[in-house]
């Protein structure tokens, strides 16, 4: 039995960094790197590096990218029983070409494989889902699959929307999730409110609570995180501007830490928010979507971040 089951996207990413001004219709010198990505996959990798008992349910093509992504999970101790490699299907891929100053010149994205995460795959894993302590789903799942998941199990569900477009999928049943971790834009899509001020954050948090969500975390990019559970809510901000090498993946690390803390019995929502911020700070130090130096030991040794603002506690 896995304590956490992550259900979500797996993607290969090819990044091209040009060394010179790029010229059309000819070879251009540069550096080409390949990595694995996808919100669900990144969360599962972070959990694997933390040593958390985790399974990943996902779909990819039975190609070199898909097989490599699955093998990496297994090497990290993540259960891949429900990681399906599909014949005749390409693994989701993204190609990004960066110019000589590192700005995106153009990109090509193919996530057709995400549509293969069917209700039948969820049903196949139902016994394991019912035994888990918490299930994490990302917004890359087809809407009907995501909704089906909320209907077939009583295990607490954690939702990371993945993008604003994918957040739209869960608007009508967001109250089925025990815990949610949108960023500010995704939260605005889900609740239909503008979210700019602290007052608007708290209004959104109350709206989510009224729908039935127990724990709410709204990440604010470099501005910290808003948290709410019951009558306890607040905004935990970093006590300094964090230097970072790569901001991609910080939100996925935050989600992984919330999941890890939850299954370890960390019940205080503010403590969970601080734990998530520690993980995000570690993620910012790495070049990859998941910092290979992520570990529970580093999390426990990291300084507790944050200055509190707008905190209320009436429990």
């Amino acid at each position: 039995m896995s304590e956490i089951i992550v259900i979500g996207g797996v993607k290969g990413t090819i990044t091209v960094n040009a060394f010179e001004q790029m010229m059309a219709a000819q070879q251009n010198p540069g550096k080409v790197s390949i990595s694995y990505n996808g919100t669900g996959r990144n969360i599962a990798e972070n959990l694997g590096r933390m040593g958390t008992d985790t399974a990943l349910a996902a779909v990819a093509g039975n190609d070199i990218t898909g097989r490599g992504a699955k093998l990496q999970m297994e090497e990290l101790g993540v259960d891949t029983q429900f990681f399906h490699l599909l014949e005749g299907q390409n693994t989701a891929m993204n190609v990004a070409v960066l110019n000589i100053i590192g700005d995106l010149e153009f990109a090509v994205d193919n996530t057709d494989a995400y549509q293969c995460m069917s209700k039948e795959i969820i049903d196949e894993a139902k016994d394991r889902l019912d035994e888990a302590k918490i299930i994490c789903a990302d917004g890359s799942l087809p809407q009907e699959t995501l909704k089906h998941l909320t209907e077939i199990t009583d295990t607490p569900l954690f939702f990371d929307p993945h993008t604003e477009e994918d957040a739209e999928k869960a608007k009508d049943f967001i109250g089925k999730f025990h815990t949610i971790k949108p960023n500010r834009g995704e939260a605005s899509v889900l609740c239909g409110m503008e979210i700019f001020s602290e007052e608007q954050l708290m209004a959104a948090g109350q709206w989510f609570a009224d729908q039935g969500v127990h724990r709410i975390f709204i990440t604010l990019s470099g501005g910290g995180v808003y948290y709410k559970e019951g009558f306890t809510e607040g905004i935990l901000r970093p006590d300094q501007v964090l230097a970072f090498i790569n901001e991609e993946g910080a939100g996925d690390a935050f989600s992984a830490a919330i999941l890890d803390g939850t299954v370890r019995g960390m019940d205080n929502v503010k403590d969970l928010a601080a734990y998530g911020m520690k993980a995000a700070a570690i993620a910012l130090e790495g070049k990859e979507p998941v910092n290979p130096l992520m570990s529970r030991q580093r999390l426990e040794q990291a300084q507790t971040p944050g200055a509190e603002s707008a905190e209320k506690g009436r429990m």
Side-chain angles (χ1 to χ4, degrees):
M1 182 189 94
S2 298
E3 292 186 316
I4 300 171
I5 298 180
V6 180
I7 308 174
V10 173
K11 181 188 292 188
T13 298
I14 299 173
T15 304
V16 180
N17 295 85
F19 291 159
E20 301 172 358
Q21 184 68 39
M22 286 184 288
M23 304 296 292
Q26 69 179 53
Q27 294 285 346
N28 292 275
K31 178 182 178 182
V32 180
S33 58
I34 301 175
S35 61
Y36 301 119
N37 212 326
T39 296
R41 193 218 69 86
N42 291 351
I43 292 171
E45 180 181 345
N46 275 293
L47 287 166
R49 294 189 183 280
M50 293 174 192
T52 314
D53 185 5
T54 305
L56 174 62
V59 294
N62 189 11
D63 51 28
I64 189 169
T65 306
R67 291 192 295 271
K70 184 177 182 181
L71 178 61
Q72 185 197 45
M73 290 293 101
E74 293 168 350
E75 290 174 344
L76 290 169
V78 175
D79 185 340
T80 61
Q81 179 182 353
F82 299 106
F83 189 137
H84 294 268
L85 298 178
L86 306 179
E87 297 292 342
Q89 177 66 56
N90 293 329
T91 300
M93 292 288 295
N94 175 266
V95 179
V97 178
L98 311 182
N99 59 29
I100 56 175
I101 61 174
D103 290 338
L104 181 66
E105 194 76 12
F106 65 86
V108 177
D109 200 43
N110 176 10
T111 57
D112 291 349
Y114 289 171
Q115 300 307 308
C116 298
M117 194 68 191
S118 65
K119 294 189 294 184
E120 289 72 25
I121 291 176
I122 299 297
D123 288 339
E124 178 188 343
K126 186 179 185 308
D127 289 345
R128 293 284 299 278
L129 296 175
D130 290 342
E131 294 172 352
K133 289 185 177 179
I134 192 166
I135 299 164
C136 169
D138 78 25
S140 71
L141 302 181
Q143 184 178 36
E144 65 174 13
T145 303
L146 190 61
K147 188 173 189 296
H148 183 65
L149 175 64
T150 69
E151 295 170 343
I152 67 163
T153 183
D154 294 325
T155 302
L157 298 173
F158 177 102
F159 181 53
D160 187 322
H162 176 65
T163 66
E164 292 183 21
E165 292 76 15
D166 287 337
E168 188 83 28
K169 300 173 185 176
K171 280 183 65 174
D172 295 338
F173 50 91
I174 192 64
K176 298 290 188 179
F177 295 95
H178 178 278
T179 304
I180 61 171
K181 198 281 307 176
N183 63 25
R184 190 197 307 262
E186 293 159 355
S188 182
V189 169
L190 285 166
C191 70
M193 302 179 188
E194 289 187 342
I195 303 176
F196 297 107
S197 67
E198 292 182 355
E199 291 76 15
Q200 288 171 327
L201 272 170
M202 291 182 177
Q206 187 59 53
W207 185 90
F208 286 122
D210 290 343
Q211 307 313 302
V213 182
H214 292 271
R215 284 181 180 161
I216 301 110
F217 300 94
I218 301 176
T219 54
L220 310 173
S221 188
V225 61
Y226 164 83
Y227 60 86
K228 178 176 175 61
E229 182 175 16
F231 293 116
T232 298
E233 65 180 337
I235 300 171
L236 192 60
R237 301 190 183 278
D239 49 16
Q240 60 182 353
V241 177
L242 298 173
F244 58 86
I245 297 173
N246 173 22
E247 63 180 330
E248 183 183 8
D252 300 333
F254 185 98
S255 289
I258 299 302
L259 290 160
D260 178 64
T262 297
V263 300
R264 294 173 62 202
M266 194 180 293
D267 293 328
N268 185 290
V269 66
K270 179 181 174 182
D271 291 344
L272 277 169
Y275 193 56
M277 285 182 67
K278 288 182 183 181
I282 293 170
L284 291 172
E285 298 171 359
K287 295 181 180 180
E288 301 295 329
V290 177
N291 188 339
L293 298 180
M294 177 67 73
S295 70
R296 186 175 293 166
Q297 181 180 13
R298 284 203 66 188
L299 279 167
E300 292 172 345
Q301 292 174 347
Q303 182 178 354
T304 300
E308 200 73 29
S309 73
E311 183 181 23
K312 297 193 295 183
R314 301 190 300 272
M315 294 189 72

